Amino acid sequence: RIKLVDGEMAIYSNEGDHVHLKRGRVVEIVTETLLVKASKKVRFETPLIEASGEVKAVGDIKSDAEVLDKVRSMQADRDIYNVHQHGNSPVPTQQQ
């Protein structure tokens, strides 16, 4: 069983899964697999989403802002790629 303090609530299963409404406005869900089924979309209205492991998408990942990288930005990668050369070959030109 979950030890609760005054003002907290929890539901739990006999397998150890639980939803715990904790003090400090924290909701903790503990389970092996969390499945959310939404026929249209899932929306998070929050300034930050964190993951402690990998993030995998089956479809495209889109962003209205620059996708930041610890090493360099996507634009920096484009700038490097657009002027690269192999041996004595000329720098590639943009096709119109």
Side-chain angles (χ1 to χ4, degrees), residues 8-35:
E8 293 187 342
M9 293 177 48
I11 57 173
Y12 57 91
S13 72
N14 65 346
E15 295 179 306
D17 301 322
H18 68 262
V19 177
H20 185 178
L21 281 66
K22 300 172 114 180
R23 301 285 302 153
R25 301 186 70 178
V26 173
V27 177
E28 178 182 79
I29 301 171
V30 175
T31 188
E32 190 171 293
T33 301
L34 178 63
L35 174 63

Side-chain angles (χ1 to χ4, degrees), residues 9 14 16 19 32 35 37 41 43 49 57 61 70-71 74 78 80-81 85 87-88:
M9 293 177 48
N14 65 346
V19 177
E32 190 171 293
L35 174 63
K37 291 186 177 185
K41 69 178 171 181
R43 179 183 177 107
I49 296 176
I61 298 174
K70 288 184 178 180
V71 178
M74 182 69 94
R78 285 188 205 101
I80 292 167
Y81 176 80
Q85 287 181 262
N88 294 329

